[in-house]
Amino acid sequence: MLKIAVDLLWLRPGKVGGTEFYIRNLLDGFLRLKEPFHLFLLVSKDNRESLMHYGEDERIELLETKVISANIAGRILWQFFCQNRFLRQHAIRKCFIPVYCRPLFNGGITYVNVIHDLQAAHYPEYHPFHEIAYSKLCWWLDTHFSRHIVAISDWVRDDIMTRYRVKGDKITTIYNPITVTREETLPFEKLAEKYHVEEKNFYYTVAQLIPHKNLDTLIAVIEQIKKRRIDLPAKLLISGVNGESRSKLEAQIRERGLEQEVILTGFVENAERNTLYRDCKAFLFPSVFEGFGMPPIEAMLFGTVVIATDKTCIPEITQGKANYVKDPYDAEEWIRVMQHPVDRIAEMDFSAYDQMRLSRKYYRLLQDKLGPDTAAD
């Protein structure tokens, strides 16, 4: 039987973007598996409550640590120097970490890590020095001391192999599971009144408000549509958790006089997000760097045309079926593509993101790398 720890100490509910959706989708998938397993979820004092419902399944046990996830430095130090001893005290020798962070040494524990991207290596200007140093240290530890690595796209896998000279048999690509409930929506009239939008007469995007998401280009696009009276909707809704670019984006919106045209909705619940996915004219995804990128697939699941950049993994994840902008910073190219989008959603193979298919793939990989017949490192 698969009997392992799952490190969730990095999880700060509502603060870590797509990685939170990823791990919750994966754990939900495990709840539906028939295969035998027992998971020990390592939780912190401040994320335990949001994970309590998993403990209702007899196959899952929550182990609370002394960590406070909001205290990132404290969490890192505990993981570096105390986690191995904590696991050994609970007679656990195998651990799955769904992100790149891990202890400095194996300490008798076998680890499997997930690397979602090497963003800080590509865009160091968006990260403080200590964050870059920590990320690079953990990536090096993953590639040298973890038994296996999961990459969330082939693009990320190739990036890891190139930068760290890792052999291909040490990295497995497993896409992120994507789950949307098409029935989980709201009457559009409620959102029409809330945001002053008309059905199929606005654009929508979902992103963290951070620089590489390239949201300022979309603001420039809407400004041009409004100024030149181009026959396109001059309305954009942006949903996402706060980031360091929020004040900059708000300032741009004010300076360009677009307070009525560009709306930052903040975080929205699934039903509201799904309704906006379904009823926008097109979903815009201007990001210049992604390890996976769930929102375009979620929008396509609602039958909405996606217009995105062709950078990093985005063409791979959208299976070449979106509409692509080659220069992500060129407002004129965005407008040209927005004027003549092509709908190829019917050609998508959505089973590639199926929760149960991917949960079983994770189960088989973890059974192979951390199962009862594998010895601890």
Side-chain angles (χ1 to χ4, degrees), residues 9-236:
L9 300 177
W10 52 274
L11 177 57
R12 292 173 289 133
K15 302 291 185 181
V16 293
T19 51
E20 178 174 0
F21 292 109
Y22 146 76
I23 190 56
R24 291 187 186 276
N25 285 345
L26 181 58
L27 289 173
D28 290 344
F30 262 70
L31 291 179
R32 297 170 59 194
L33 289 177
K34 302 300 183 184
E35 292 84 348
F37 67 85
H38 192 91
L39 302 183
F40 299 93
L41 304 187
L42 301 190
V43 300
S44 65
K45 292 182 176 299
D46 54 339
N47 73 14
R48 177 188 176 98
E49 185 175 352
S50 74
L51 298 162
M52 284 289 290
H53 63 287
Y54 291 113
E56 296 172 5
D57 189 300
E58 63 182 8
R59 300 169 296 175
I60 297 181
E61 181 179 345
L62 272 63
L63 295 180
E64 183 175 337
T65 67
K66 296 179 180 180
V67 171
I68 298 175
S69 295
N71 179 0
I72 297 175
R75 186 263 296 173
I76 291 171
L77 290 173
W78 188 92
Q79 185 172 44
F80 273 178
F81 302 112
C82 302
Q83 179 166 312
N84 290 331
R85 183 172 68 251
F86 180 88
L87 291 173
R88 291 194 303 269
Q89 287 172 346
H90 287 83
I92 299 169
R93 293 291 188 272
K94 318 285 178 66
C95 185
F96 170 57
I97 306 183
V99 290
Y100 65 94
C101 54
R102 51 153 292 146
L104 282 173
F105 306 100
N106 287 342
I109 311 297
T110 303
Y111 286 98
V112 169
N113 282 83
V114 178
I115 296 181
H116 294 257
D117 59 54
L118 304 178
Q119 183 194 124
H122 288 270
Y123 290 94
E125 65 270 26
Y126 297 155
H127 301 267
F129 174 79
H130 66 274
E131 193 173 294
I132 298 171
Y134 172 67
S135 298
K136 288 185 175 181
L137 171 61
C138 286
W139 294 330
W140 187 87
L141 292 170
D142 292 343
T143 55
H144 284 76
F145 295 123
S146 293
R147 173 162 290 180
H148 202 73
I149 297 169
V150 175
I152 62 173
S153 66
D154 286 336
W155 187 88
V156 172
R157 182 176 183 269
D158 292 344
D159 198 24
I160 298 167
M161 291 171 62
T162 300
R163 286 181 177 269
Y164 289 95
R165 301 180 184 276
V166 181
K167 294 182 179 179
D169 59 2
K170 186 168 183 174
I171 310 178
T172 299
T173 297
I174 305 181
Y175 282 174
N176 287 347
I178 297 178
T179 57
V180 294
T181 304
R182 291 184 177 87
E183 296 74 27
E184 189 180 4
T185 57
L186 300 172
F188 179 75
E189 294 73 22
K190 289 187 177 181
L191 301 185
E193 182 179 352
K194 182 178 181 179
Y195 297 120
H196 306 289
V197 292
E198 299 175 358
E199 190 172 350
K200 300 299 181 182
N201 198 36
F202 67 98
Y203 294 106
Y204 186 47
T205 193
V206 176
Q208 284 185 286
L209 308 184
I210 51 182
H212 74 268
K213 299 298 184 179
N214 191 30
L215 295 170
D216 46 356
T217 295
L218 292 190
I219 294 173
V221 168
I222 297 300
E223 180 186 36
Q224 289 302 311
I225 291 173
K226 177 184 177 182
K227 182 182 296 184
R228 291 154 50 188
R229 298 185 179 182
I230 298 171
D231 187 22
L232 290 171
K235 189 83 174 188
L236 171 67

